[in-house]
Amino acid sequence: MVPKIRRGSRTHGLLVYLYGPGKRDEHVDPHLVGSWDGFAPDPGRDTGPDADPKVTLARLTAALDLRVKQAGAKAPARHVWHCSVRTDPRDRMLTDAEWNTVAQRLVAATGIAPEGDPDGCRWVAVRHADDHIHILATMVRGDLRNPRMNYDFKKAQAECRRIEKEWGLRRLNPGDGTGSKAPTSAERFKAERTGRPEPSRETLREAVRQALTGAETEGEFFTRLREAGLRVKVRTAPSGDELGYNVALPGDRNRNGEPVWFPGSKLAPDLSLPKIRLRLGDDTVDQTTLSAATSGRPDWSLPARERRSATGVAERAAVLLDGGDEAAAQLVGVGELLDAVAQTSPAATRAELAAAAREFERATRSHVRAERADTRALRSAARGIIQAGSALGRGEDGGTTAMLTSTLVLVALAAARWHSARGHAQQAHASRQTAEHLRAAYRQAAATPMRALRDQGRALPDAVRRTHEATIRAALPQHGLRADGTPRTDALIATLAQAEQAGHDPEALLQQAIAMRELDTAEEVNDVLVWRLRRLTQLPTHPGEAAPRPQAGARQPKTSTNDRTSNRTTATAPARPGSDPRTRPPRR
């Protein structure tokens, strides 16, 4: 049940709209379901032989405005309080009597007409559709004082949550005042009329957020806005200091032919210029974020190397989100990282990643402020991904997209736990929705590389498979089997075998990967471990890529006369590029 409150100054004009046909003939059978005394004239039910709805409407207006006229200059200029209340489409249809109860409870909860107060404001509730009502009240009490209307929206929200619980309606998440301003009905109608897929406000909010992703300076942020094709107007003080900014879409004009400007603060609370300056304030280079020049092998593409580097940063952010309130700053950085990945992702995953970034925007804002707002590592990772450009959906690019997306799923779930522990219902819900979009993107990105890895694992000799299966069972006794008892660890076995050939100890390496982060929230534990191991050992994420050479001084696979050990050593050695058709890189 969603309440929406507005203020106005024309009682008659609002009643004409409520009792009229609507903008698209959507108003059906408009009539009163409740009023301040139960006896207000109802233009919708005036059906006598001499009935004149216009006259009845004038009588209703006069009755509602009586105390406003009596108060004279003491009445508020915007004396009309208008609250629409809508049920969820999946809820049952409420009766007129139930809607009357809803209206009475809301005017009492908000201070319009407190229960048992004979001097409460005058109000009516009009119903012209199955799923909602409109409450109109005039804000002058019987004693000609103004009602106490502090926090009326929050009080209406709280009362709606109580009604949902008591009546068995769909329960919505309570808000905390940190959400973005929703588009008005007029903005939505305009978008439909002009053929835009969404209102201008939403398009601009996403464009501003993307322009801010990884930006180092205020000037770079404004340059990106203009390069994105937006109109930008910076507000300055007489001293020349910049106070704020407005943005507009090209071609979006009002009835006077002027651009429709939106201040950053009206797009989202954290997109005002002062908030953006706080985010850009620390321009110190974060040395914990490996640059593309030193992260990964030089034969891998720049987008692939940046994604590998960002995966490590995201894993550290997930750990920090298990901490206290200082983790709040990480959410902002994670939001930027999601925006960067969505902007540069392959076409197959772009829609789901863009949806994940949009959902997580709500999770980045709450009333919790971090004492140590350090987001340099995440912002540097986002900047690196943006500067590296778009990744391809194949080869190492596609594999590292899957690697990063797999980690971001766990980050989103960590954010959901962090918000849930603090009672942030909307943000927790947004984080869980983000995880679902990321899982869908992961399945698309990981399909090809994981299929190839599973094929490689199944092709290994039985003795080698048994050795690595024993290692996995010892480390993860509760994971690794399907419901029918058959192993599902083929890709993990292939990865352990390749890591051993590169000179690593499989047992120690697997324990290190497990200890990096909890696995309880992982949908596919083995997939998560595959990507962790391949990042730790610098193994290629796509089986068609060449594996790294053994490191100098690293542990080498043992050789002996024992058949099992000898088979393990020789069978796991990846063939040189071109020697095995399963691992041969594509011809170029």
Side-chain angles (χ1 to χ4, degrees), residues 362-406:
R362 183 67 188 94
T364 62
R365 294 190 302 274
S366 71
H367 289 300
V368 176
R369 291 290 177 266
E371 295 180 4
R372 196 169 45 82
D374 190 352
T375 62
R376 287 173 295 171
L378 285 160
R379 298 200 74 246
S380 295
R383 181 175 180 81
I385 288 176
I386 291 291
Q387 290 184 328
S390 298
L392 301 174
R394 59 183 182 272
E396 189 66 12
D397 280 12
T400 50
T401 297
M403 173 188 284
L404 177 55
T405 305
S406 173

Side-chain angles (χ1 to χ4, degrees), residues 250-524:
D252 185 19
R253 298 182 177 275
N254 58 22
R255 66 181 63 183
N256 298 322
E258 301 166 340
V260 180
W261 296 101
F262 289 86
S265 59
K266 297 299 182 182
L267 298 176
D270 56 344
L271 293 182
S272 66
L273 189 56
K275 296 287 181 64
I276 288 174
R277 283 171 173 164
L278 286 176
R279 194 185 300 190
L280 300 176
D282 191 352
D283 57 359
T284 304
V285 175
D286 188 351
Q287 298 300 328
T288 65
T289 304
L290 296 177
S291 68
T294 59
S295 174
R297 291 163 43 195
D299 56 323
W300 288 338
S301 70
L302 198 57
R305 282 182 277 159
E306 288 293 353
R307 276 163 167 71
R308 279 181 175 267
S309 178
T311 301
V313 175
E315 285 170 347
R316 290 192 289 274
V319 173
L320 290 172
L321 283 170
D322 287 334
D325 289 349
E326 65 275 5
Q330 299 299 309
L331 298 169
V332 177
V334 171
E336 287 203 32
L337 185 55
L338 279 169
D339 276 320
V341 177
Q343 291 179 56
T344 59
S345 63
T349 56
R350 191 174 302 143
E352 290 292 350
L353 288 170
R358 277 197 171 195
E359 285 285 351
F360 199 76
E361 187 232 2
R362 183 67 188 94
T364 62
R365 294 190 302 274
S366 71
H367 289 300
V368 176
R369 291 290 177 266
E371 295 180 4
R372 196 169 45 82
D374 190 352
T375 62
R376 287 173 295 171
L378 285 160
R379 298 200 74 246
S380 295
R383 181 175 180 81
I385 288 176
I386 291 291
Q387 290 184 328
S390 298
L392 301 174
R394 59 183 182 272
E396 189 66 12
D397 280 12
T400 50
T401 297
M403 173 188 284
L404 177 55
T405 305
S406 173
T407 301
L408 288 172
V409 171
L410 299 183
V411 175
L413 293 173
R417 288 196 301 275
W418 188 87
H419 280 303
S420 294
R422 288 154 182 80
H424 305 160
Q426 289 189 354
Q427 292 91 331
H429 175 73
S431 300
R432 288 189 288 269
Q433 291 297 110
T434 300
E436 290 305 308
H437 287 296
L438 288 170
R439 279 174 172 149
Y442 169 76
R443 287 190 286 269
Q444 293 171 335
T448 299
M450 290 302 293
R451 187 186 310 115
L453 283 172
R454 286 192 290 268
D455 290 344
Q456 286 188 353
R458 285 191 289 267
L460 291 171
D462 290 342
V464 176
R465 287 182 55 83
R466 286 195 296 271
T467 298
H468 291 302
E469 284 174 1
T471 300
I472 295 169
R473 280 196 299 271
L476 294 167
Q478 71 276 32
H479 296 290
L481 295 177
R482 296 189 180 92
D484 59 2
T486 58
R488 60 187 304 173
T489 54
D490 299 322
L492 186 53
I493 288 172
T495 298
L496 288 174
Q498 293 169 14
E500 184 181 37
Q501 181 62 26
H504 299 278
D505 181 344
E507 293 86 353
L509 190 64
L510 184 57
Q511 290 295 341
Q512 181 184 354
I514 293 171
M516 287 172 60
R517 178 87 188 114
E518 56 83 23
L519 295 167
D520 295 337
T521 55
E523 209 173 40
E524 289 289 348

Side-chain angles (χ1 to χ4, degrees), residues 1-296:
M1 185 173 285
V2 181
K4 190 172 183 179
I5 296 174
R6 307 176 188 85
R7 303 287 177 91
S9 58
R10 297 177 62 245
T11 306
H12 186 263
L14 179 55
L15 286 173
V16 168
Y17 168 74
L18 296 179
Y19 277 97
K23 294 184 178 180
R24 304 180 181 183
D25 295 325
E26 69 272 21
H27 295 179
V28 179
D29 186 26
H31 60 280
L32 287 185
V33 294
S35 65
W36 73 94
D37 61 356
F39 298 102
D42 183 1
R45 290 291 184 266
D46 194 358
T47 58
D50 299 325
D52 187 343
K54 291 184 179 180
V55 173
T56 308
L57 194 68
R59 287 173 51 215
L60 180 59
T61 303
L64 285 166
D65 279 344
L66 175 64
R67 293 168 176 172
V68 176
K69 295 186 180 302
Q70 290 174 342
K74 294 182 180 180
R78 296 172 64 84
H79 64 271
V80 176
W81 186 84
H82 175 205
C83 176
S84 60
V85 194
R86 187 180 301 273
T87 55
D88 189 90
R90 288 161 286 187
D91 283 331
R92 63 180 176 84
M93 187 172 67
L94 302 185
T95 65
D96 283 357
E98 287 174 319
W99 276 122
N100 181 28
T101 301
V102 170
Q104 289 181 5
R105 291 180 61 166
L106 286 177
V107 295
T110 55
I112 289 288
E115 189 174 359
D117 183 356
D119 287 328
C121 299
R122 295 190 168 191
W123 61 272
V124 292
V126 179
R127 181 179 189 179
H128 54 212
D130 291 338
D131 63 347
H132 70 278
I133 60 170
H134 293 261
I135 305 171
L136 184 160
T138 48
M139 293 189 292
V140 178
R141 290 168 44 82
D143 52 15
L144 302 187
R145 291 187 294 114
N146 296 338
R148 294 183 177 180
M149 299 293 294
N150 296 333
Y151 308 108
D152 56 338
F153 178 72
K154 288 186 176 181
K155 292 174 181 177
Q157 286 270 14
E159 189 63 27
C160 284
R161 302 294 83 78
R162 285 189 285 268
I163 294 172
E164 290 165 354
K165 183 177 180 180
E166 294 171 16
W167 292 11
L169 303 176
R170 181 172 175 79
R171 298 176 67 178
L172 303 182
N173 293 319
D176 61 359
T178 61
S180 303
K181 181 176 174 56
T184 64
S185 297
E187 291 171 5
R188 293 190 183 278
F189 291 146
K190 183 178 181 180
E192 293 179 14
R193 189 173 64 251
T194 57
R196 293 185 183 275
E198 62 185 1
S200 299
R201 185 190 300 273
E202 294 184 350
T203 303
L204 289 168
R205 179 165 58 242
E206 184 169 9
V208 172
R209 201 178 68 237
Q210 290 179 350
L212 184 57
T213 299
E216 278 191 327
T217 65
E218 193 175 315
E220 182 182 355
F221 165 65
F222 285 125
T223 299
R224 287 185 179 183
L225 285 179
R226 294 184 176 95
E227 289 176 347
L230 304 185
R231 298 172 65 100
V232 182
K233 180 171 64 176
V234 179
R235 302 192 305 274
T236 57
S239 62
D241 295 334
E242 296 178 347
L243 301 176
Y245 70 98
N246 294 52
V247 288
L249 286 178
D252 185 19
R253 298 182 177 275
N254 58 22
R255 66 181 63 183
N256 298 322
E258 301 166 340
V260 180
W261 296 101
F262 289 86
S265 59
K266 297 299 182 182
L267 298 176
D270 56 344
L271 293 182
S272 66
L273 189 56
K275 296 287 181 64
I276 288 174
R277 283 171 173 164
L278 286 176
R279 194 185 300 190
L280 300 176
D282 191 352
D283 57 359
T284 304
V285 175
D286 188 351
Q287 298 300 328
T288 65
T289 304
L290 296 177
S291 68
T294 59
S295 174

